[in-house]
Every structure is written in structure tokens, then in C-alpha cells.
Amino acid sequence: MAKPITGDDPKTLVSTAWLAAHLDDPDLRVIDASYYLPGAGRDAKAEYAAAHIPGARHFDIDEISDARSDLPHMVAPAEKFMSRMRAMGIGDGHQVVVYDAVGIFSAARVWWNFRLMGKTDVAVLDGGFPKWQAEGHPVEDMPPILRDRHMTVQRQAHLVKDVTQVAAASKLGDWQILDARSPGRFRGDEPEVRPGLRAGHIPGSINVHYATLLNPDGTMKEADALKAAFEAAGADISRRTITTCGSGVTAAILMLALARLGNEDVSLYDGSWSEWGRFDQLQVATG
């Protein structure tokens, strides 16, 4: 494991002060990756149109996805991701900062998506749009002027796992599996947000609710507090790890936190509980 990362880091997490200082950099690109769970009653596109960080592009997680899959927002093929980013004026040589309207939520998913495509100059905005607005930084309601930018991608297959690989890890115990959902959903006490899914968790997995990694203002905890949160849940921050959640969104928050702690040997189960919970032949644990 590498040493824990503290402070602003353009490959993992940057502060609102850092972004304000770099907002006019010619090779900076800002992405609004806001997304809400079904039933939240919020419209990410409409909110982006009403107000966003100057120059921000909107990244639609549901649209920039694998249209061939019936699972929610599975990661897009490399060619589709590349073409969408080029059309948004995002390409080679850019430093990308991703934010969302919750604090740290869906932005981490898009951070992972870029890394999956071989792009490492990407960071999540710590505290997101709420912190940016609360501090009085500028916002606008005009879409940015987009100029096509060449992008090359090199998919990093080791950063994602499919159901077969996760089932093997669950059986063999050779990977640590961390589940970012709420304790009630993990135990099977609360209903799933998507209909038709069984309740419970992947056998052998450990519950690290993503909210335990965040401060009340939506920023990510510092390294010592992050380490304590993982350890309190029974997780080993040094083990190779698969992260999972409901549909592959908050699992990326766990990956981001582990990257801040120096563990890069982490993969995300893209199908997550939306896939595991629907197939009767896959075992489910409760309690």
C-alpha cells in the first residue's frame, strides 16, 4: 500500500478552494455528475440547467451507459464513453473535476468510470455543489460552449468485476467484499429501492455504509478518521477489495476512500445488488 493522501490531490479529491483557484485553467474540465435514486423526487438535468459551476458539463449516468444491459447504468463500452466525452469537449490532456449536488455521491462513480477508461487526471470535488454554493462561489445557468477534443482510452479491466468473479470471491474468500449500502438494506431489514430484488447481502461481505466515510457537510473524512471507520466495520484497508452497493454508485465512494488511504488494489462490482439480488441461484445472507 502507498501512503495515505492528505489535502488536495488532482487524482482523487480536491477542495472547493482548489477548484476556485483553478477554475479558469485552460485545460480544466468540470463535470456535474448529479444523480438521484429512484423515488427521490429530484431531476438532475433540470437542476443542472437551473444552476451549475461555471463551465460544467452534465454527465448523465443513465445515458452514458451500456444500452445492451437491462441493469441500471452499467458502465458504457469504451467507444461510447470516448465519443460522449469528445462531444462534451473532454479529452486527452485535461484535468477533470467531478461534482454532484449531494456532496459526495454519484461523482465518485464518474471518477471511477474515468479511471476504468485509463484516465487518472480526475478528482472528485470534496463537498460537491452544496459546499460550493454555501461558500458563495459563482454559478451559472448557461450551457458551456463545447469544442470537440480528441480522447484516447485504455480500459483498465482490473478495476471492474462481473457477477461470476464476485461469486468466486464470495466462495473462496480471496477478496474482501465491502458493501456500501445502509445497514438495514445490508441485513435485509429494509426493502430495496428497486422492485423485484431479494433482501440481504453477498455471503461473506462486510458492511461499510458510505455515509460513515463522510462528514456532516458532505466532505470526505481525513485519513485517520477514514481508517477508523473501515476498521470499526471490520474491514481491512490493506486487503485487495471488491466494492459493491445497490447499483454501483456508492460503491465508488468506498473505492475513492480506499484510494485516499493508499489502497489501489480495489475493483468495483458494476452490477452490484441490482444484479445479485435478482437471481435465485445466487446465495443471499441476512442479519
Side-chain angles (χ1 to χ4, degrees):
M1 272 184 43
K3 291 182 179 179
I5 299 168
T6 58
D8 292 316
D9 173 42
K11 295 183 183 301
T12 56
L13 196 69
V14 295
S15 65
T16 49
W18 186 97
L19 180 58
H22 291 271
L23 195 58
D24 294 328
D25 289 2
D27 283 329
L28 180 81
R29 293 294 180 269
V30 181
I31 291 176
D32 182 327
S34 299
Y35 162 83
Y36 304 110
L37 292 173
R42 295 181 66 174
D43 185 332
K45 287 183 181 178
E47 290 181 17
Y48 165 80
H52 52 262
I53 293 175
R57 285 91 162 127
H58 183 248
F59 188 113
D60 186 338
I61 286 175
D62 285 327
E63 196 284 320
I64 306 175
S65 65
D66 188 352
R68 302 165 299 183
S69 175
D70 61 352
L71 294 168
H73 45 252
M74 291 286 282
V75 71
E79 297 78 11
K80 182 175 182 179
F81 178 86
M82 182 169 58
S83 68
R84 292 293 191 276
M85 292 306 99
R86 289 182 64 171
M88 288 165 62
I90 299 171
D92 296 342
H94 281 149
Q95 169 66 50
V96 176
V97 175
V98 192
Y99 74 89
D100 61 56
V102 175
I104 294 181
F105 185 64
S106 49
R109 165 81 183 187
V110 175
W111 168 83
W112 165 77
N113 201 335
F114 271 87
R115 287 167 67 93
L116 180 65
M117 299 301 169
K119 299 299 181 183
T120 59
D121 292 330
V122 55
V124 170
L125 180 64
D126 201 14
F129 198 48
K131 191 170 190 291
W132 180 266
Q133 285 187 298
E135 294 171 348
H137 296 296
V139 299
E140 65 181 16
D141 59 5
M142 296 294 292
I145 297 171
L146 303 179
R147 295 180 177 86
D148 191 287
R149 176 78 169 237
H150 180 72
M151 173 179 271
T152 54
V153 302
Q154 188 171 4
R155 196 172 190 272
Q156 307 295 303
H158 65 282
L159 294 179
V160 65
K161 290 285 186 282
D162 63 24
V163 65
T164 302
Q165 293 168 314
V166 176
S170 172
K171 184 176 181 179
L172 299 174
D174 54 345
W175 287 74
Q176 176 177 245
I177 303 174
L178 302 183
D179 190 323
R181 293 176 300 156
S182 68
R185 289 174 67 190
F186 180 84
R187 292 191 304 264
D189 298 342
E190 298 174 4
E192 282 298 310
V193 297
R194 292 177 176 82
L197 300 180
R198 297 170 297 164
H201 58 268
I202 299 168
S205 61
I206 298 169
N207 187 207
V208 182
H209 188 202
Y210 75 90
T212 64
L213 308 177
L214 306 177
N215 296 308
D217 65 352
T219 57
M220 183 163 280
K221 291 179 177 178
E222 294 293 338
D224 288 347
L226 281 180
K227 184 173 182 289
F230 279 107
E231 290 178 347
D236 182 347
I237 63 168
S238 66
R239 282 194 66 189
R240 63 177 185 172
T241 298
I242 298 169
T243 64
T244 183
C245 60
S247 63
V249 174
T250 58
I253 300 175
L254 272 58
M255 179 180 276
L256 176 63
L258 288 168
R260 293 284 290 181
L261 290 172
N263 186 354
E264 295 281 355
D265 198 0
V266 183
S267 299
L268 186 145
Y269 173 25
D270 198 16
S272 283
W273 199 253
S274 295
E275 181 175 39
W276 193 281
R278 70 194 291 195
F279 293 116
D280 290 338
Q281 57 267 47
L282 295 170
Q283 290 187 350
V284 168
T286 57

